[in-house]
Amino acid sequence: MSGRDDRTRVRMPSVSPGSSSGRAGDSDATRHVRRESGGAKPAGGQTVRMQVVPRRFGWLIVKTGARIGQVHQLSEVTDLGRGAAGGIVIDDEKVSEQHARVRVDEEGQFVLWDLASTNGTFVNGEQIMAATPIVENDEVRVGSTVLVLKTLDIEA
């Protein structure tokens, strides 16, 4: 388990009149809740309607390589490599000590980076050169190891 709190966290940042996005001042602690302005505005204030954003969980499953079948739950930031302390350790001589990183962005999208590895990082057979969003069933190759992304959205 990643130690994530299963409760929806809500912090109401101030909303200035006329603000259309309602996202100003949001932080990691509030990213599970999207605020929408709307409805009648009472005297002296603004009505704020809350919409819960689904929480997304992700796993990388080793499809080929030394640890075939192994399942790794992703946290907000997960490193992959031969020496990925606290991350996903890949037993593959073609994998750098710190090879790649997966991060969950503020919209709940999984994004993959190559960390200047020697042999590159590939998504669905294409080498990535910059931050690259990955989605359900995408195949990530580092060295000779292929991992498949699986996701699950849960209403909080």
Side-chain angles (χ1 to χ4, degrees), residues 59-64 69-72 146-150:
W59 296 266
L60 283 174
I61 302 170
V62 180
K63 182 177 178 180
T64 64
Q70 196 167 46
V71 178
H72 302 277
V146 176
L147 304 102
V148 178
L149 177 66
K150 293 296 182 181

